[in-house]
Amino acid sequence: MDNKYIYLDNASTTPLSKNVLNKINSTYKNYWSNSSSTYKYGIRCATYLEKIRLKIAKILNANTEDIVFTSGSSESTSLVFSNLSDKYKCGRVVISNVEHQATMISANKLKRKGWEIYKWPVNRDGIINISNINEVIKNNTNLVSLIWGQSEVGTLQPVQLVGTKCKELDILFHIDGTQILSNGIFNWKELNCDLLSLSAHKFGGPKGIGLLLTNSKSRLLLKNNDISLSQEYSIRQGTTPLPLIAGMYQSIKNIKGRIKFNSYNAEFENNKKVLLRKYFINKITNNPNIKITGSSTERLPNHISFLLFNKKLEPIKAYKVINYMSDNNVAISSGSACSSSSGKHSLTLENMGYDSNQLYSNIRVSLGSMNKKSDIDRLFKLIQICIKKF
């Protein structure tokens, strides 16, 4: 069998393209001073930083002050929740019960301080029950925080609809957009939210850098007068990692396609990843040993997740499939890299109503720009072997 390495775990992290690496290296060489320093080399770096901020803002149709550089989505989310507890003694936060670990950790910190945390239930597809939105999002709510594209099962939440309700009641709305940008550029001013978290390494950029998109309303929550105004508008302290920011900008420039909205539903332009996903779905449709998890329609374009069953139609443990694929130079996963190595069952599948014997069996395949049909063909052959082997 072909021993070429095939990478199908882009929801976990993505490889750097050559022009991103070149941008990082050239910035390290030419702009290595501290951008907060007041001598000419520091000012030169600060000027370069703000030029990049402006360019990123233009791509996303945002204002420059909307762009706050962080170390990634986890820090961006933590900033939102921690500032909430600093500004209010106690209150109410709404999240879904299929959030990423970073949101769950931040919410649990608030819960230990006496905050009410409402976990919005989801249906079998992993979508929140929107029929009870008026009971869930109420005037006594301080923050709603939802994951837009669920990393484990790929389901998209109706963030525009939820955002409309939050605007109506003047409630802060934060979106975890970690898995989104790799599938297309959105228009920040079209999104019905106040805050959005991103990590560069999910869309072809370097690790250790990300964004928190803000607006004038949310910046009032985030501003910390103890932090210098020269450090991310008094929101985030620390020496600015200019080379990583430059690399992130280049990776955003590399993104193909746009995300538009038809009523409240996100629409992603057809691209190579969409076509490959359709190709794979067609190969596994009507196979009794493969069961798709998550929504078949409201889904990340580059994401496929499924349960695999053996010849006796018993669910195969995900680690067996992942290890076998790895032995054959194919990289896939069972879900979020932050939690899949814990050995615990999938809380996401549990909250979606799956049987207890299926909670260790979710398989995730996430496509990138480097993938092609031959990769899918080889994956499918290996899947068929796993069905017989395990």
Side-chain angles (χ1 to χ4, degrees), residues 325-359:
M325 293 289 176
S326 180
D327 289 341
N328 286 275
N329 282 336
V330 176
I332 60 171
S333 68
S334 59
S336 169
C338 302
S339 57
S340 60
S341 61
S342 67
K344 297 179 181 178
H345 70 266
S346 169
L347 289 174
T348 297
L349 291 188
E350 182 179 30
N351 290 329
M352 289 167 63
Y354 279 81
D355 296 338
S356 58
N357 68 334
Q358 299 175 346
L359 301 182

Side-chain angles (χ1 to χ4, degrees), residues 16 31 53 110 114 120 131 147 163 174 200 231 237 246 273 293 296 301-302 304 306 323 340 352 360 366 385 387:
L16 288 180
Y31 296 93
R53 195 191 306 270
L110 288 185
W120 203 338
S131 64
I147 189 167
H174 166 254
Q231 294 189 315
Q237 61 184 332
K273 288 180 280 188
T293 56
S296 59
N302 69 331
I304 309 130
F306 53 91
N323 289 346
S340 60
M352 289 167 63
Y360 292 89
S366 44
I385 294 172
I387 291 170

Side-chain angles (χ1 to χ4, degrees), residues 82-96:
S82 62
N83 277 282
L84 196 70
S85 66
D86 287 343
K87 292 294 191 297
Y88 303 97
K89 286 186 177 180
C90 236
R92 181 174 186 269
V93 172
V94 173
I95 62 176
S96 79

Side-chain angles (χ1 to χ4, degrees), residues 181-198:
L181 207 60
S182 60
N183 293 287
I185 299 292
F186 55 75
N187 183 333
W188 171 238
K189 290 180 180 175
E190 283 184 358
L191 279 175
N192 290 336
C193 69
D194 305 291
L195 301 139
L196 188 143
S197 301
L198 295 169

Side-chain angles (χ1 to χ4, degrees), residues 254-285:
N254 290 343
I255 296 170
K256 302 290 191 298
R258 309 287 304 185
I259 302 172
K260 299 178 182 178
F261 291 95
N262 180 6
S263 183
Y264 292 119
N265 296 322
E267 292 186 341
F268 299 83
E269 289 182 2
N270 276 336
N271 56 33
K272 182 182 175 183
K273 288 180 280 188
V274 175
L275 297 175
L276 280 179
R277 190 189 74 173
K278 289 179 179 177
Y279 180 67
F280 184 49
I281 293 295
N282 287 336
K283 291 179 82 72
I284 65 177
T285 299

Side-chain angles (χ1 to χ4, degrees), residues 132-178:
N132 65 349
I133 189 170
N134 293 325
E135 288 74 43
V136 173
I137 302 178
K138 302 179 288 190
N139 281 317
N140 67 338
T141 304
N142 299 94
L143 173 72
V144 176
S145 181
L146 292 178
I147 189 167
W148 188 353
Q150 214 284 334
S151 58
E152 187 174 338
V153 295
T155 294
L156 296 168
Q157 299 294 358
V159 293
Q160 285 292 78
L161 178 59
V162 171
T164 299
K165 184 65 179 179
C166 289
K167 279 190 175 182
E168 178 188 318
L169 298 178
D170 195 29
I171 295 169
L172 275 173
F173 183 32
H174 166 254
I175 291 175
D176 175 357
T178 308

Side-chain angles (χ1 to χ4, degrees), residues 2-3 105 118 124 127 129 141 173 197 212 222 253 332:
D2 185 4
N3 283 323
I105 290 171
Y118 180 83
R124 187 75 172 186
I127 301 174
N129 181 11
T141 304
F173 183 32
S197 301
L212 178 61
L222 298 171
K253 278 180 66 179
I332 60 171

